[in-house]
Amino acid sequence: MLAKYFSEPIDRAALSLIGVLSAAIAVVGVGHYTCQDNNQCIFANRPRVQDFSWDGAHLGAKDRAFIITFDRPMDQREVEKNLVITPALPGKISWAGRRMAYTLENPIPYGTDYDLQITDVREQYAGEHHGQMMAPFTSSFRSRDRAFAYIGTQGIEQGRIIFYNLTKQRKTILTPPGLTVVDFKFYEGGKAILFAAAESQLGFEGLRQLQLYQVPVVESDNPQELPKPTLVLDNQEFQNNQFDVSEDGKSIVVQRVNRQNPADFDLWMLKNQQKPERLKVQGGDFQIAPDNQSLAVARGEGIGILPLQPEAKPLDFLPKFGQLLTFSSDGSAAALVNFNTEDAQKRFQRTLFFVNTLGVQKELVDTDGSIVSCEFGRNNQTLYCLLTKLLPGDEYIEQPYFVQINVNSGEVFPLLKLQDYRDTQMSLSPDGLALLFDQVIIDPETPANSRLNTDTGEAIADSQLWLLIPPLRPELGQQAELKALSLMGFRPLWAP
């Protein structure tokens, strides 16, 4: 009968196409729906994770949140219950449709491998029936290796920047033997180091002949594979002193003095590796703020906050503070020192203050010695500080000690006392879990024009590096842990 109606070739082709399409539709239908014994039919193509922003990532302290995107709306309670990160990373969850954001409570601990898995969760299903079970999802990511740099004091390492990967126990000498490094800073997320150095044979005179160089951070056991430093700023017309570099690496600020006219001193800026230009800002110690756009400068009896541009008008001025120690990581707070020049009762004391952008100025610690340095810990709610106090007696002797300060409560927890104070430098790890510090050994018989010298001109014979692990809950009586490192050097600085 059908042959009668579809006798033409085009009719037979149409009939064949209808058959093929019908079969395809049937296959698709079977593939997407499964009917159970109770006559309930659900989608058979299982839900899945479409994207995980940290999949295979190498993370640092600034990486504080990841996003998981599902291919359809999911049962959010089940996802939150069955999301497992190993080792644990406490955090908070928020949702926006098919996207789930997980924000860490603290910076990610360094030197650790992590696994993430989501199992036994269903899609969100409108109606009386349960949604389809999601395909199990697993992924892994890693935090950066624990690593730091310092200036070596022994043998071929003397006066050179040493990069030490603490996680892998690997040491790399980054600078050549002909230069003696005085100071250095990481930038560009730890990919490079900016350093001030002079020719080694100049000795103490090298402090007046400093030039700025940069070198990439490359780990290698073969010195031939290491890149050579490149000159950033010479010393032909001006003496280069203190310097700082913005976190994004785009701005460098240097205090410079005219060699022909010492009264001509100013802050200069190098922007995007262009020629240096005067900021026409005079003052003492300075720091580039975390926003990469402003500069804090000690100016007389106060700290000025200025835009990072020539002849800029101040954005703010903090009149009662004489020293800025550090900014919080987000720039919303700072630790400052009041020298109490106008307070007769505290005339011989210095006071540490916590100051934030909301106008809070909170007094934390008084000392009759020095407030050497401070750094903000996790979530900017903790300060780790190196202080000194005067010892009784006719001779002026300062004893250094480390403290941990709860900014909210004002509680001060002693961590460690040192026997001697000579240019001790401290550095807090980016995850806030470890303090590095040095103890310089002075040789009074070594001439002051030796290759390595302190800021006061004393010859450095050697220096020991130490690792201090602060307690996570000092209010519960937990004690700090001290470890001696088999590394001889000074000015240690953690890599970001």
Side-chain angles (χ1 to χ4, degrees):
M1 181 69 69
L2 289 175
K4 176 180 179 182
Y5 294 102
F6 295 97
S7 57
E8 298 296 327
I10 189 172
D11 295 333
R12 291 195 296 272
L15 182 61
S16 300
L17 180 59
I18 291 172
V20 170
L21 291 176
S22 299
I25 292 173
V27 169
V28 171
V30 171
H32 279 69
Y33 288 91
T34 298
C35 293
Q36 302 172 352
D37 293 338
N38 57 5
N39 294 323
Q40 296 179 355
C41 297
I42 60 174
F43 282 110
N45 59 327
R46 304 175 71 180
R48 62 183 180 86
V49 170
Q50 195 172 61
D51 183 70
F52 171 44
S53 62
W54 281 5
D55 184 37
H58 208 61
L59 306 168
K62 291 187 178 296
D63 298 300
R64 297 298 298 269
F66 62 75
I67 295 175
I68 296 177
T69 304
F70 299 91
D71 68 344
R72 68 195 69 179
M74 301 298 299
D75 186 315
Q76 297 179 1
R77 291 185 179 181
E78 285 192 359
V79 173
E80 295 175 15
K81 178 182 177 182
N82 293 287
L83 170 67
V84 178
I85 303 174
T86 309
L89 284 174
K92 298 180 180 180
I93 294 176
S94 60
W95 289 87
R98 296 182 293 112
R99 294 159 58 92
M100 187 203 78
Y102 190 95
T103 304
L104 303 187
E105 293 180 1
N106 295 296
I108 188 169
Y110 277 35
T112 307
D113 292 302
Y114 295 90
D115 293 314
L116 178 144
Q117 65 175 7
I118 306 175
T119 57
D120 299 326
V121 299
R122 298 176 181 273
E123 66 179 316
Q124 181 180 330
Y125 197 78
E128 299 178 358
H129 312 310
H130 293 294
Q132 178 73 356
M133 187 72 71
M134 188 190 83
F137 175 77
T138 60
S139 181
S140 62
F141 52 93
R142 176 175 174 78
S143 56
R144 295 179 184 174
D145 291 346
R146 294 185 182 276
F148 56 87
Y150 61 94
I151 302 174
T153 58
Q154 291 187 340
I156 64 172
E157 297 180 1
Q158 190 178 56
R160 302 167 71 181
I161 295 177
I162 314 300
F163 184 81
Y164 189 71
N165 187 317
L166 187 61
T167 300
K168 297 177 180 176
Q169 305 284 300
R170 184 166 65 188
K171 182 190 295 185
T172 304
I173 302 177
L174 293 181
T175 56
L179 293 175
T180 294
V181 178
V182 172
D183 196 11
F184 68 93
K185 298 181 186 297
F186 284 98
Y187 68 108
E188 293 184 352
K191 297 179 180 178
I193 289 178
L194 181 72
F195 66 95
E199 295 181 5
S200 300
Q201 68 270 19
L202 293 175
F204 188 68
E205 174 62 23
L207 293 177
R208 290 185 282 271
Q209 302 294 334
L210 297 175
Q211 300 191 117
L212 291 186
Y213 302 83
Q214 66 179 5
V215 63
V217 175
V218 177
E219 295 184 60
S220 175
D221 298 325
N222 184 1
Q224 303 301 322
E225 297 179 353
L226 298 176
K228 295 182 179 180
T230 57
L231 182 64
V232 174
L233 184 64
D234 64 39
N235 61 2
Q236 297 303 308
E237 298 181 26
F238 292 86
Q239 175 181 316
N240 301 313
N241 296 328
Q242 180 188 355
F243 70 94
D244 197 13
V245 58
S246 60
E247 290 187 7
D248 61 9
K250 296 180 180 180
S251 301
I252 300 171
V253 176
V254 188
Q255 186 187 66
R256 310 186 81 195
V257 181
N258 192 318
R259 294 193 176 279
Q260 303 301 320
N261 179 17
D264 176 16
F265 65 93
D266 200 349
L267 297 185
W268 292 67
M269 179 177 66
L270 289 80
K271 193 79 171 178
N272 295 319
Q273 299 182 346
Q274 298 176 356
K275 291 184 178 181
E277 58 178 332
R278 288 178 181 266
L279 288 176
K280 296 187 177 181
V281 174
Q282 295 184 359
D285 290 341
F286 62 89
Q287 288 187 40
I288 299 176
D291 64 3
N292 302 310
Q293 303 297 321
S294 54
L295 185 72
V297 185
R299 310 182 75 180
E301 293 297 323
I303 302 293
I305 310 296
L306 303 92
L308 196 54
Q309 58 191 35
E311 300 185 80
K313 295 182 179 180
L315 300 170
D316 198 1
F317 186 71
L318 304 171
K320 71 179 184 180
F321 302 107
Q323 183 183 5
L324 171 68
L325 297 170
T326 187
F327 285 104
S328 63
S329 58
D330 59 3
S332 64
L336 298 106
V337 178
N338 186 341
F339 293 109
N340 299 311
T341 55
E342 298 180 357
D343 190 337
Q345 295 181 346
K346 293 185 176 183
R347 184 173 300 170
F348 302 106
Q349 292 186 334
R350 297 180 179 184
T351 305
L352 174 66
F353 273 81
F354 167 83
V355 178
N356 67 18
T357 54
L358 300 177
V360 174
Q361 295 187 4
K362 188 173 185 178
E363 187 173 331
L364 296 176
V365 175
D366 290 322
T367 179
D368 58 1
S370 302
I371 302 175
V372 181
S373 58
C374 289
E375 292 194 44
F376 280 94
R378 289 179 148 194
N379 297 326
N380 304 321
Q381 300 303 309
T382 304
L383 272 172
Y384 297 95
C385 297
L386 174 59
L387 313 175
T388 71
K389 64 179 180 180
L390 291 182
L391 296 179
D394 297 332
E395 190 175 357
Y396 188 92
I397 301 177
E398 295 179 84
Q399 182 181 54
Y401 61 102
F402 291 97
V403 296
Q404 181 174 339
I405 304 172
N406 186 311
V407 172
N408 292 327
S409 67
E411 291 179 281
V412 179
F413 303 98
L415 295 178
L416 177 69
K417 287 184 179 180
L418 303 178
Q419 295 302 314
D420 189 21
Y421 171 61
R422 289 187 182 275
D423 284 3
T424 299
Q425 304 279 329
M426 61 165 269
S427 176
L428 180 66
S429 62
D431 59 12
L433 297 178
L435 275 167
L436 268 174
F437 70 94
D438 58 8
Q439 282 195 292
V440 175
I441 301 171
I442 303 300
D443 184 357
E445 297 182 1
T446 303
N449 63 349
S450 66
R451 185 173 180 181
L452 301 178
N453 299 275
T454 66
D455 291 340
T456 57
E458 297 174 293
I460 297 176
D462 214 336
S463 184
Q464 172 73 52
L465 295 185
W466 297 82
L467 193 64
L468 180 65
I469 311 298
L472 294 177
R473 299 291 301 275
E475 69 277 8
L476 300 180
Q478 297 176 357
Q479 300 297 310
E481 181 182 355
L482 180 65
K483 296 181 179 180
L485 299 177
S486 58
L487 302 171
M488 310 308 289
F490 66 108
R491 294 190 184 278
L493 187 63
W494 285 102

